[in-house]
Amino acid sequence: DSGVTQTPKHLITATGQRVTLRCSPRSGDLSVYWYQQSLDQGLQFLIQYYNGEERAKGNILERFSAQQFPDLHSELNLSSLELGDSALYFCASSVGWHTEAFFGQGTRLTVV
Amino acid sequence: ILNVEQSPQSLHVQEGDSTNFTCSFPSSNFYALHWYRWETAKSPEALFVMTLNGDEKKKGRISATLNTKEGYSYLYIKGSQPEDSATYLCAPLRGSGGYQKVTFGTGTKLQVIP
């Protein structure tokens, strides 16, 4: 157990809908990262927050947004969902933005 | 180097053999490099974070070196065991001014044959 908690574990929703994925980082970690793993692609970095502020942005679609709250948990919002958004979404946390990151178990999103 | 490249893409070795993989990345605006081990159906597990040119890190039978000037890192596994079978990912952080971008390589898939 890495100490990073992601909810829900599985999510099935219809195209056009909006979902929110939640991540609770390890105690003491200030940095949260979001990643997407699609069936036909490797791990893609989406976005990173450090102590509530956005620190890095990767290949995140405009339909997706994220935030990190004062208690340091983070949410990834995915809207106007398309079939191609079906993927495993990982959250990771670390103490700083250049230190060892620990991954959660992931949220499996299926868009039907 | 424009992108993050890992070689080989896959590798089969006999139990007890030593092996190594390469991660190549753009050397400009380098900040740090992460190595991860990713077993099938599990989450990635952090192995090393490397920041300085010439860095060498070791964890058990696994070690890594870093050359930031030429943009490459090697991961070595000594005396491979079946439990080492996994995909090994490198992820350089590049950027400046407190804003970095993480790019993952496609990984090297290692299969250790008993």
Side-chain angles (χ1 to χ4, degrees):
Chain A
D1 181 6
S2 66
V4 178
T5 304
Q6 289 187 248
T7 56
K9 286 190 172 58
H10 302 277
L11 194 51
I12 301 175
T13 190
T15 54
Q17 294 298 305
R18 173 190 168 95
V19 298
T20 297
L21 312 184
R22 183 187 169 102
C23 171
S24 294
R26 292 186 323 154
S27 177
D29 284 358
L30 299 177
S31 195
V32 171
Y33 307 77
W34 285 99
Y35 302 91
Q36 177 194 56
Q37 189 211 356
S38 302
L39 275 175
D40 57 349
Q41 292 189 10
L43 206 55
Q44 300 287 324
F45 167 67
L46 295 178
I47 198 164
Q48 180 207 355
Y49 282 84
Y50 179 79
N51 204 21
E53 292 186 7
E54 184 183 305
R55 278 293 184 183
K57 186 176 278 189
N59 303 318
I60 187 167
L61 300 172
E62 284 191 11
R63 299 184 286 108
F64 296 0
S65 65
Q67 54 183 324
Q68 186 179 28
F69 294 86
D71 67 353
L72 301 177
H73 90 272
S74 178
E75 293 181 355
L76 179 67
N77 301 297
L78 315 176
S79 61
S80 303
L81 285 167
E82 301 174 359
L83 295 177
D85 297 326
S86 295
L88 186 56
Y89 291 85
F90 284 109
C91 165
S93 74
S94 65
V95 172
W97 65 76
H98 62 285
T99 54
E100 185 179 3
F102 294 83
F103 281 71
Q105 293 301 305
T107 292
R108 170 75 65 185
L109 173 67
T110 304
V111 182
V112 298
Chain B
I1 298 289
L2 297 178
N3 298 309
V4 181
E5 299 174 1
Q6 289 190 247
S7 63
Q9 282 190 326
S10 64
L11 192 57
H12 290 76
V13 301
Q14 290 292 135
E15 181 176 353
D17 286 352
S18 294
T19 187
N20 64 85
F21 332 128
T22 305
C23 171
S24 301
F25 52 87
S27 56
S28 59
N29 297 319
F30 175 85
Y31 191 84
L33 180 87
H34 292 233
W35 277 101
Y36 293 95
R37 179 174 176 275
W38 196 3
E39 288 184 67
T40 304
K42 293 188 178 180
S43 303
E45 172 195 347
L47 287 174
F48 304 114
V49 178
M50 309 178 80
T51 55
L52 300 175
N53 186 44
D55 244 359
E56 290 189 28
K57 300 265 181 161
K58 187 174 181 180
K59 186 182 285 189
R61 293 179 292 98
I62 304 177
S63 60
T65 61
L66 176 67
N67 183 320
T68 61
K69 293 183 179 178
E70 295 182 40
Y72 65 84
S73 176
Y74 295 135
L75 187 80
Y76 301 90
I77 302 180
K78 185 177 178 181
S80 302
Q81 298 297 308
E83 57 265 30
D84 296 328
S85 298
T87 296
Y88 291 82
L89 296 169
C90 72
L93 281 73
R94 298 172 61 233
S96 59
Y99 201 85
Q100 288 86 36
K101 181 174 178 179
V102 177
T103 305
F104 278 85
T106 51
T108 292
K109 187 170 183 177
L110 173 67
Q111 184 71 38
V112 181
I113 304 162

